[in-house]
Amino acid sequence: MQGWCGRYRWSWVAAVTASNRSSAVRDGALIAAIAAFSFIPWLGRLHLFDWDEINFAEAAREMLVTGDYRRVQIGFQPFAEKPPLFMWVQASSMRIFGVGEFAARLPNAIVGIITLVGIYLLGRRLVDRRFGLWWALAFGGSLLPNLYFRSGIIDPFFNLLIFAGIVALFEFEHQRHTHGLSRWALLLIAGISIGLAVLTKGPVGLLLPGLTWVGIVGSGKREAGGGKPAPIVPMLILIAVAAIVAAPWYVLAAQQGTGASSGNFISGFVTRQLELLRTGVAGHTGPWYFHFIVLALGCFPASVFAVSALGRFVEDPPKVRDFRRWMISLLVVVLVVFSLVQTKIVHYSSLAYFPITFLAALALTDVKRAWWPRYSTPVAVVIGLLWAVVFLALPVVGLVIADNQLDPTRVTPDPFVRAVLAVPVGSSPLDLVVGGAYLAVIVVALGVLRRRNDEKQFAVVLFAATAIVVPLALVRIAPKIERYTQATPIAFYESLRGCDCYIAPLGFKSYAHLFYARISPEHSAGAAGVAPDHFEEWLLSGPIDRTAYFVSKIDKADRWRSRPGLKVILERNGFVFFRRAAQ
């Protein structure tokens, strides 16, 4: 009898386990399908945006052109800002799908699919299926997290590697009282993942998870009265494993020479990172609270719900409480580090999307307490209305311009902005649908909350609407914005593709000419035997062997109009195009 009961019990456990596994696979496949349908279409609809999207894609393209995958180059000169891992991935995508916007952005779309499925499975393992679904919905249904998976920037890829390392470190710490190879395998996985992050964006890939771990150790000591020792040996092992993964390429980069044509990557890299830390590079400055505002507005709606989960949740299971501590530690580290960094760029704090959406999911599944603060509803409505106004305002301005109802001279004295505002973009009343629909959703969601007093339905409506509005805005509104900003010079660069000539911007920084004109090595500073810093002046006054084309913004163009040998060939939409004949 006992043996029969034992066999029945284990068969029941096996059946439940198989059922859970089947449910997880089914849910994961559904999330992956929805994410793929959302992220992948229209990846190539928009040109890549200067600077970040284009410079990574250009570095990948130059790897394909030169066959040199050992170093990162821009303009066929060493590029000391980033290591090569993400560019390797982009180059692989371009080799399969061809050089273009789709191939440059596809890696992050795939990262988005992996991220949503991964956090669902992690949330299911930490709490239950419902929590995993909330977490995936909060991440995929928030503005900037959803948008970044459609971009060609480095951060989604980098953030996933760091988060995977942090999850492995959490499991390693959570199994502190167990022994065996499995626990140390987690530390090895963490080291490999963090090492790959270092190979993607530099030492910050080790700094962020390292400080997060240190924060956990410190908070653990406080909770335990100072009795918990710091895991010095595991930390050293983590650093060693990460170094083994990343160091070979850095050593190779350091051995590439110090000549003018090759540059010294290590010294240039260190100099660049210190410059980003101490100064606001290229005008990217802001107050210390810049990223607090970015995350509050950009992670809407998740940011509104996440705040209520910052308090102590003593009733949660120990593993959930521990992981919550890790997420709060990560959020604090990201905010502190990037508030101290003087260069303020929106995507610098994007790693915080993981803890913010986790905390939002935690609040939305916390049915044991009346977690909903009084201020949450008005804050959610205000931020939602703000975004609806933004989505509405852009096409309204376009319609006003299209109807010649706006006099640019009354808007601003800046000649470039006036010229840009005069661009005939061709806005349509259909463009108002995006903002109008989002406005309607905010009103409906508020009505649901008031009528049914159901915060979860309120959240579902907001997340679902945001996930739909982001791609609609990219399809209907973003192309119009691009026509005001970069479409004109990019069209000019594309017209020169395959031309045996030099191309350069004058008075502003850009990588667009390199990527969209498909500049080849023989048209670079290195081929001309000129130092990169002197290439522009050589093109303007030196003994050039090919025709040179230049692009300037209209407010800077006067200084070039009187330049001997330069001829204006086109003025359009705030840009002036010059040509200089070969000497």
Side-chain angles (χ1 to χ4, degrees):
M1 183 70 177
Q2 185 176 1
W4 181 86
C5 289
R7 288 194 300 273
Y8 175 80
R9 182 183 65 186
W10 288 114
S11 64
W12 178 81
V13 170
V16 171
T17 302
S19 176
N20 287 338
R21 187 180 300 114
S22 175
S23 173
V25 170
R26 187 167 57 250
D27 288 345
L30 180 61
I31 292 171
I34 294 173
F37 180 76
S38 176
F39 297 149
I40 295 178
W42 305 301
L43 286 177
R45 182 178 178 85
L46 285 172
H47 291 117
L48 300 173
F49 280 92
D50 256 350
W51 301 337
D52 286 347
E53 276 200 304
I54 290 183
N55 68 354
F56 299 136
E58 174 60 17
R61 184 189 75 87
E62 292 187 16
M63 288 179 177
L64 294 177
V65 170
T66 63
D68 183 358
Y69 295 87
R70 297 174 302 168
R71 58 179 178 173
V72 181
Q73 300 179 83
I74 297 290
F76 304 97
Q77 298 294 319
F79 183 67
E81 291 190 26
K82 297 292 185 292
L85 182 57
F86 183 67
M87 281 69 91
W88 288 342
V89 174
Q90 280 190 315
S92 299
S93 178
M94 290 179 185
R95 184 173 292 279
I96 297 172
F97 298 101
V99 175
E101 295 86 356
F102 179 85
R105 291 176 175 139
L106 182 62
N108 278 342
I110 295 173
V111 164
I113 297 169
I114 295 171
T115 296
L116 294 188
V117 173
I119 61 176
Y120 161 72
L121 295 175
L122 176 60
R124 182 185 179 112
R125 186 163 179 262
L126 286 171
V127 185
D128 56 23
R129 174 177 180 267
R130 183 180 59 164
F131 179 85
L133 291 174
W134 270 118
W135 195 358
L137 179 62
F139 208 116
S142 295
L143 283 164
L144 286 182
N146 185 295
L147 175 64
Y148 276 15
F149 291 139
R150 308 168 194 277
S151 74
I153 64 175
I154 206 168
D155 296 81
F157 184 85
F158 173 70
N159 294 339
L160 180 61
L161 290 172
I162 289 186
F163 183 70
I166 287 176
V167 171
L169 287 176
F170 161 75
E171 291 289 354
F172 174 82
E173 281 290 297
H174 193 71
Q175 298 180 22
R176 173 178 287 270
H177 301 295
T178 65
H179 300 282
L181 292 176
S182 61
R183 180 171 182 257
W184 293 99
L186 290 168
L187 189 61
L188 178 63
I189 293 171
I192 293 172
S193 183
I194 290 170
L196 292 174
V198 173
L199 197 54
T200 302
K201 208 172 181 179
V204 70
L206 178 60
L207 176 68
L208 296 175
L211 290 178
T212 301
W213 197 1
V214 170
I216 290 298
V217 172
S219 63
K221 284 186 176 182
R222 288 193 299 273
E223 291 183 3
K228 187 177 180 180
I232 300 298
V233 172
M235 286 182 174
L236 293 176
I237 293 175
L238 176 75
I239 294 172
V241 173
I244 290 171
V245 172
W249 181 83
Y250 282 89
V251 171
L252 181 63
Q255 294 175 345
Q256 288 177 354
T258 58
S261 62
S262 60
N264 188 321
F265 174 83
I266 298 300
S267 62
F269 180 82
V270 172
T271 300
R272 180 62 175 175
Q273 304 313 305
L274 292 175
E275 186 182 5
L276 292 171
L277 176 65
R278 296 180 300 190
T279 62
V281 173
H284 293 296
T285 59
W288 65 268
Y289 52 83
F290 174 85
H291 288 292
F292 288 82
I293 297 175
V294 166
L295 293 174
L297 298 180
C299 277
F300 177 80
S303 56
V304 176
F305 305 120
V307 174
S308 61
L310 291 173
R312 292 178 62 85
F313 278 27
V314 294
E315 298 178 24
D316 290 322
K319 192 168 186 177
V320 178
R321 289 204 309 269
D322 288 347
F323 193 74
R324 175 180 160 275
R325 286 174 55 232
W326 277 82
M327 291 295 94
I328 291 177
S329 178
L330 175 59
L331 178 59
V332 170
V333 165
V334 170
L335 286 171
V336 170
V337 168
F338 293 110
S339 294
L340 292 175
V341 172
Q342 294 303 303
T343 301
K344 308 295 185 186
I345 300 178
V346 171
H347 55 76
Y348 274 14
S349 57
S350 57
L351 182 58
Y353 301 165
F354 284 97
I356 288 174
T357 53
F358 168 81
L359 292 170
L362 187 63
L364 288 164
T365 52
D366 178 31
V367 296
K368 299 177 182 178
R369 289 170 296 279
W371 58 268
W372 187 265
R374 292 181 179 178
Y375 61 78
S376 294
T377 299
V379 169
V381 171
V382 168
I383 297 178
L385 290 176
L386 176 64
W387 279 112
V389 168
V390 170
F391 291 136
L392 278 170
L394 293 171
V396 165
V397 170
L399 287 171
V400 170
I401 294 173
D403 292 340
N404 295 318
Q405 297 177 12
L406 177 68
D407 183 2
T409 60
R410 296 183 178 181
V411 177
T412 174
D414 189 309
F416 176 70
V417 176
R418 292 204 305 264
V420 165
L421 289 177
V423 174
V425 168
S427 293
S428 164
L430 287 176
D431 299 335
L432 298 172
V433 170
V434 177
Y438 203 55
L439 179 62
V441 164
I442 301 300
V443 174
V444 170
L446 183 60
V448 167
L449 179 63
R450 286 186 172 180
R451 185 171 61 255
R452 301 185 181 179
N453 196 28
D454 191 334
E455 298 87 356
K456 292 176 177 58
Q457 286 193 16
F458 177 70
V460 167
V461 172
L462 288 181
F463 285 131
T466 303
I468 294 171
V469 161
V470 170
L472 285 178
L474 287 175
V475 171
R476 295 298 312 179
I477 298 176
K480 313 296 173 61
I481 296 175
E482 191 201 10
R483 291 179 199 173
Y484 285 118
T485 55
Q486 63 175 21
T488 298
I490 285 179
F492 180 75
Y493 302 143
E494 289 178 325
S495 71
L496 295 175
R497 188 176 297 175
C499 172
D500 185 19
C501 60
Y502 296 110
I503 309 170
L506 293 176
F508 68 101
K509 183 176 180 179
S510 174
Y511 300 104
H513 63 294
L514 299 171
F515 187 81
Y516 283 104
R518 303 289 193 264
I519 297 295
S520 56
E522 59 267 23
H523 302 140
S524 66
V530 180
D533 293 343
H534 302 295
F535 190 48
E536 178 184 296
E537 184 59 34
W538 182 79
L539 291 176
L540 288 168
S541 57
I544 57 174
D545 56 342
R546 297 173 175 89
T547 300
Y549 294 91
F550 303 91
V551 180
S552 173
K553 294 180 180 179
I554 195 169
D555 56 331
K556 308 284 187 181
D558 287 346
R559 62 178 296 195
W560 313 111
R561 292 179 192 273
S562 58
R563 187 90 179 204
L566 283 188
K567 179 182 179 182
V568 175
I569 58 173
L570 180 66
E571 293 191 40
R572 180 178 296 169
N573 301 340
F575 292 89
V576 180
F577 302 88
F578 300 89
R579 180 177 62 204
R580 180 176 181 238
Q583 302 301 299

